[in-house]
Amino acid sequence: MKRLLLGALALFITNAGFAQYTNESKFKQLKEELPTPNVYRTGSGAPGPWYYQQQADYTMEITLDDNKQRISGEGTVVYTNNSPDPLNYIWVQLDQNVRAKNSETQQIKKGSISDKMSYKSLEYLFYDFDGGFKIEHIVDENGEKLPFYINNTMMRINLPKVLEKGESFTFGMKWWYNIQDRAKYGGRSGLEYFEEEDNYLYTIAQFFPRMAVYNDVEGWQNKQFLGRGEFALVFGNYDVKITVPSDHVVGSTGTLQNAEEVLTKEQQNRLEEARKSLDKPVMIITESEAKKAEKGKAKDIKTWHFKAENVRDFAFASSRKFIWDAMGVKFGDRTVMAMSYYPKEGNPLWEQYSTRVVAHTLKSYSKYTFDYPYPTAISVHSDRIGMEYPMICFNGGRPEADGTYSARTKHGMISVIIHEVGHNYFPMIVNSDERQWTWMDEGLNTFVQYLAEMEWDKDYPSRRGPAYKIVDYMKSQPTEQVPIMTNSESILQFGNNAYGKPATALNILRETVMGREEFDYAFKEYSRRWMFKHPTPADFFRTMEDASATDLDWFFRGWFYTTQHVDISIDNMEHFQFDSQNPEANSKADREKASKQRFIGDMRNDTALAGKTVVEQDESMRDFYNDNDEFTVFESDKKKYNDYIESLSDDEKKLLNSGLNFYEISFSNVGGLVMPVILEFTFSDGSTEVQHMPAQIWLKNEDSFTKVFAFEKKVTKVELDPFLETADTDRNNNYYPPQQEPSRFELYKRQQRESKNNMQKAGK
C-alpha cells in the first residue's frame, strides 16, 4: 500500500517524438469501407427516395415423376424492370446445374484417397449423377424461340428489344431434371428413399429457372452458384400447380387453392378445426392413416394448386408417407397456420414438438422483428437436412428405429426447426444477398434463434450465441480464419464464421455494449425498414447506429472486418490510501512498522550480543536523540498539521477523512480487439461489486491504460470479464492477484461414451 498526498496536481503531457502518418485507429469510422450514401440507400441505413427492386411473377405447372424420380416443368415468367436502367438481357439462375457432370462445382471439388475409405466417401470423389437442368425451350409470349446462353449455373436471355424502366417482359420456359438422392449426393433438396416399403420422400427446391437480382449495388447478381453461397432472389407472385401420384400429400409455399379436390372432407374439416386450435396441434393425417397410405402405390395422379404473394422463392415437399398436423397462431385479427409434415420415422419427437416449435418461433421472432406476414409456416421432416424457403423448411432430427432418442437429438431437432423457420425473416423477407454475404442471413438468424431457444427453455443447451462458445474459434490460428466480411465461397470454418461469430457479436452488442432496450429498438428498426427489400451490410451497420445514437464503427470494424480476438490483461494493481499528514497518527503507524521490522531482524541476527548494551549501562552516553527518534512528534509538527487542515475546504476535509482505499490498475490489450472492460471486485468482507467501462476507454491508447478505483472496503481480488460476456480468449491474465484457470482435458473411452449415450435414450 502507498500513501497519497492530497494537494495540487500538475499534469504535463508531451507528444515529443510521436508521429502518425495514417489513421490506423480501431475507432476509425467506416466511411472508407462503406459505399457512399445516395438516392437509393441513405446515410441513415434506410431505403432512399429512389430505391427500387425488380419483380418476377411465375405461373408454373410442375410434374413429379415418382417412377423416374424426375421433375418436369413448364411455365411463364413476367419480369418487370423497375430500375432506371434499360436492359438488353436478363439473367436466370440454373442452380441444379451444380449437379451436372461437367459442372464447375464438380471440377473444383478436392479430395484424396486414404488406405481405408467407405464406399460413400469414394463415391463422393467420382460424381457420376446427371442432375443438371435440361432446358427444352425458352420462348417469348408468342411462342417464338428466344436466344439464350448458359454459363454453368447462369443463363442469359437476350431480349428482342431493350426493356425500359416500368416495362415488363414475358417469356415461357420448359425444362426437366433428375432428382438426386441426398444420402448419396447431398444437397439442399432432393429425395430420401425408404427401402423397406420402396417409398420416397421428396423435398423439392431450386427446381425451376429463377430470376437473378438486378439492383443498385451489384447490377446483375450473376455470380456462379458453386454450392455454398446461397441465393439472391427477386420478389414476386407465384401460381403453381404440382402434379403428383394421387396418394401423395403435398406441403408447399403458398396457400392451397383446391382443397376440395385433393383433400377428403374429413381432412378439410380437421384443417378448419386446426385453424381454431391455438394451444395444440390437430392431426390432419394421423400416423395410422399415413402407415396405411405408404403400403400402396397409386398409378393415377392428382394436381395440387398453390398461390403465394410477394415471396422470393417457392419450394414443396411430397410423399405418401406424410403425417400432417397443424395449429393456428394469432397475429392481431390474422390466423397463421403452423404445420408439420413428417413420416412415421420422425415420431414420437415430431408429433410432440415440431408444430409447437414452429408456432413458438413465429411468436418469438415477431417480437424482435415484425409480425409474421405470411399465411402459413411449414416444417417438413427428412433425415439429416436443414434448409429454408418461404413458408416451408426441411428439417432433420430423427429418433432411433425403436423410437428412443437422446437429449442431443431432441435439442438438435428443436434448434434446426427454430433456425429454418426463422429464416422466413432472414432472408426470405429481409432479403439480403446470400450469394455475397452469408452472415447477413445465417448470422442474424442464428442470433434470433438463440433468443428463441432461451424463451423455449431457460436451460436450453444452445450451440451458438453465448460469448464463451466462440472463444476456441477466435483464438485459432490466423491461417484458419477470415473476416466475417468475406464472400460466401471464400469462407474458412464456415459454421463458425458465418453462423457463430456474427451471432455472438450481436449477442455481445445487445448484452454488453448497447443494452437490450437500445439494441432491440435498433434491430427491430432495421428489420422493419428492410421488409421485402434487399439490404446490404452497410444498411445494417448504419441503421443500428442511426436508431440508437451509438457509435458502433469500432465494433463492426473489429468484429466484422478483422480476425483479431479479445484478450484483455490485468497487468498490475497497486493499493493507495490518503496520507492525512497527521504527525501523531503517522508516527504511531510508522513506529509499529519499524518495530516489526526490528523484531524480524533480531530474530534473524545470529550474532546478537546477550546482556545490556553500552548505552543501557552508561547514562552519560545518552543524549536528546536517544529519547527522541525519527518518529517523535514535536509541537512544530502539530502546528504545521493544524495549519494544513485549516487550509482545506470542507469537501477536501471530507475526502481526507473518508478512509477510502484507492487501487490503480493497469490493463493491456493483448488480442487487439477493443471491447468494454467489465471488472468484479471482491472485498475483505466477502462482498462483491461489478463495474463496467465502455470500449471508448481505449480511445486515446488502444494498447494499454491505467485507471484508479476507490472503495471504502479493502479489495482482495479483481476479476476481468467475470460473466464470460466478451469472448476473452485467455482468462489466465484476467485476475489480480494472478491465478491460473484450470485446463480441461478429456479421457476418451469409446465404450463408456456409447454406454452414456444409450442411457440418454430413455426419454420419448
Side-chain angles (χ1 to χ4, degrees), residues 564-755:
Q564 293 179 333
H565 59 277
V566 181
D567 182 9
I568 302 172
S569 170
I570 298 178
D571 296 332
N572 189 43
M573 182 174 78
E574 292 198 60
H575 180 199
F576 297 85
Q577 283 186 325
F578 274 123
D579 184 351
S580 67
Q581 300 187 52
N582 184 333
E584 293 179 316
N586 287 350
S587 173
K588 181 179 179 182
D590 292 342
R591 192 182 299 279
E592 290 176 352
K593 182 178 180 180
S595 177
K596 290 180 181 179
Q597 291 172 342
R598 283 197 300 269
F599 174 76
I600 294 172
D602 290 345
M603 292 290 290
R604 294 176 179 173
N605 188 358
D606 296 332
T607 62
L609 296 175
K612 292 184 177 182
T613 65
V614 172
V615 173
E616 289 173 331
Q617 296 180 42
D618 188 349
E619 285 290 329
S620 66
M621 294 296 100
R622 298 182 63 83
D623 65 3
F624 174 84
Y625 295 104
N626 288 101
D627 297 322
N628 299 278
D629 56 21
E630 69 268 30
F631 306 120
T632 302
V633 178
F634 301 102
E635 289 300 319
S636 59
D637 297 321
K638 296 179 182 179
K639 183 178 185 307
K640 183 178 179 181
Y641 170 68
N642 290 331
D643 291 342
Y644 165 70
I645 293 298
E646 290 299 319
S647 70
L648 299 178
S649 68
D650 290 342
D651 288 341
E652 288 172 331
K653 290 177 183 176
K654 183 178 180 181
L655 183 60
L656 185 65
N657 295 322
S658 65
L660 288 174
N661 295 280
F662 295 88
Y663 295 90
E664 178 189 272
I665 306 180
S666 299
F667 302 86
S668 61
N669 182 1
V670 181
L673 202 59
V674 294
M675 284 292 284
V677 178
I678 303 102
L679 297 176
E680 182 179 60
F681 295 90
T682 301
F683 301 104
S684 55
D685 63 358
S687 62
T688 59
E689 178 178 327
V690 176
Q691 292 200 15
H692 293 74
M693 288 152 278
Q696 284 73 14
I697 198 165
W698 302 97
L699 264 171
K700 299 297 176 64
N701 187 333
E702 298 162 1
D703 299 320
S704 62
F705 72 87
T706 299
K707 187 174 177 64
V708 175
F709 303 85
F711 303 104
E712 293 181 358
K713 305 174 185 178
K714 287 189 176 181
V715 172
T716 58
K717 187 179 81 169
V718 182
E719 181 177 354
L720 177 66
D721 191 24
F723 308 115
L724 310 182
E725 57 185 298
T726 67
D728 195 304
T729 60
D730 182 5
R731 291 190 50 78
N732 289 320
N733 55 20
N734 283 26
Y735 299 92
Y736 204 90
Q739 70 179 58
Q740 285 285 112
E741 282 272 304
S743 297
R744 296 182 179 182
F745 67 95
E746 182 179 10
L747 294 176
Y748 181 74
K749 294 185 178 179
R750 182 182 299 274
Q751 188 174 8
Q752 289 183 354
R753 178 166 293 181
E754 290 178 351
S755 174

Side-chain angles (χ1 to χ4, degrees), residues 152-164:
N152 197 29
T153 62
M154 300 300 301
M155 177 172 68
R156 187 186 68 231
I157 300 176
N158 299 327
L159 302 180
K161 68 182 185 68
V162 173
L163 187 63
E164 301 286 354

Side-chain angles (χ1 to χ4, degrees), residues 22-33 551-554 557 699 702:
T22 59
N23 183 2
E24 301 298 332
S25 170
K26 291 177 171 57
F27 292 90
K28 177 183 177 182
Q29 298 297 282
L30 282 172
K31 297 183 186 298
E32 295 176 11
E33 286 77 8
D551 182 0
L552 298 172
D553 284 20
W554 63 271
R557 179 183 295 283
L699 264 171
E702 298 162 1

Side-chain angles (χ1 to χ4, degrees), residues 37-44 46-52 82 165 530 533:
N38 51 48
V39 293
Y40 305 112
R41 298 169 192 272
T42 68
S44 70
W50 289 10
Y51 174 82
Y52 70 86
N82 294 316
K165 177 182 179 180
W530 291 98
K533 295 182 176 67

Side-chain angles (χ1 to χ4, degrees), residues 253-268:
T253 299
T255 303
L256 182 62
Q257 302 296 300
N258 62 336
E260 69 283 354
E261 296 177 10
V262 296
L263 301 181
T264 67
K265 189 63 177 177
E266 184 176 12
Q267 289 168 347
Q268 293 178 60

Side-chain angles (χ1 to χ4, degrees), residues 466-476 481 496 504 559 565-566 721 724-731:
Y468 68 89
K469 297 274 188 176
I470 202 67
V471 165
D472 287 342
Y473 171 67
M474 296 287 281
K475 67 182 181 182
S476 62
Q481 298 186 51
N496 283 321
T504 300
W559 278 87
H565 59 277
V566 181
D721 191 24
L724 310 182
E725 57 185 298
T726 67
D728 195 304
T729 60
D730 182 5
R731 291 190 50 78

